[in-house]
Amino acid sequence: MEEKVKFEIEFPIQASPSLLYQYMSSPSGMSEWFADNVNSRGEYYTFIWNGSEEKAKLLGKKSDERIKFRWMDDVEDENLYFFELRIVVDEITKDVSLIVTDFAEEDEIDEGKMFWENQISELKHIIGSN
C-alpha cells in the first residue's frame, strides 16, 4: 500500500463554535452533511454513502473545538492516519474557521480535497453560512 500524505484545508464558516461542533460530533448532525447516514456504537462510527459503509474509530474530541477519527481500513497503520475537524476562532476578529486534516495517497489528494470542499459546502448550506 502506498504511503498517504497529510493535507489540511481551512474553511471560513459564519457560525458559532458550539453550533458547528454539534454538526461535527453527533451522528444526527453528521448525517445532515457528511454522509447519507451515520450511526455510532460507543467509540465506533459507521458512515454510509450510497449504500456502502465505512467504519471509523473516534480517537478523541474536545467540546466546541475538535473531533478526530481513524478509518478502520487504516487501523494497521496505528498512529499515522486520521481525519480531524478542528474549529479555530481568531482571537482578534472572532472569525470562525473549520480546519480539516486528512490523509490521501499522493495521486488522490485533489480528490480528497474535492470531497471535503463538497461536504463543507453542504455543511455551510445547512447552517446558513455563506
Side-chain angles (χ1 to χ4, degrees):
M1 188 171 138
E2 210 179 306
E3 274 209 24
K4 294 183 179 182
V5 179
K6 181 179 180 179
F7 65 91
E8 280 192 353
I9 320 173
E10 183 172 346
F11 299 95
I13 297 191
Q14 294 170 337
S16 71
S18 57
L19 175 69
L20 201 47
Y21 187 76
Q22 288 171 13
Y23 280 96
M24 302 173 10
S25 62
S26 70
S28 61
M30 292 187 89
S31 292
E32 289 193 49
W33 67 276
F34 185 69
D36 298 335
N37 198 3
V38 180
N39 300 307
S40 69
R41 186 164 284 150
E43 62 188 15
Y44 293 94
Y45 283 62
T46 303
F47 300 94
I48 301 163
W49 289 277
N50 300 323
S52 75
E53 290 187 2
E54 293 283 340
K55 294 188 184 321
K57 180 179 182 184
L58 176 66
L59 298 179
K61 61 183 183 178
K62 187 170 184 186
S63 194
D64 297 351
E65 276 188 34
R66 62 182 168 78
I67 188 159
K68 186 175 184 178
F69 293 95
R70 173 173 300 114
W71 293 115
M72 296 310 289
D73 293 351
D74 290 334
V75 163
E76 66 275 2
D77 305 313
E78 195 50 46
N79 290 313
L80 296 178
Y81 307 131
F82 60 87
F83 70 96
E84 180 181 58
L85 304 172
R86 197 168 76 244
I87 300 167
V88 176
V89 181
D90 184 285
E91 286 183 27
I92 297 166
T93 64
K94 301 299 179 204
D95 289 344
V96 176
S97 289
L98 180 61
I99 298 177
V100 175
T101 304
D102 199 357
F103 290 80
E105 291 178 12
E106 191 92 46
D107 60 349
E108 295 178 355
I109 289 178
D110 288 343
E111 208 174 287
K113 287 182 176 179
M114 196 178 305
F115 168 80
W116 284 109
E117 286 164 5
N118 290 337
Q119 303 317 96
I120 302 301
S121 173
E122 183 64 21
L123 172 62
K124 287 177 163 187
H125 176 74
I126 286 165
I127 61 178
S129 172
N130 298 344

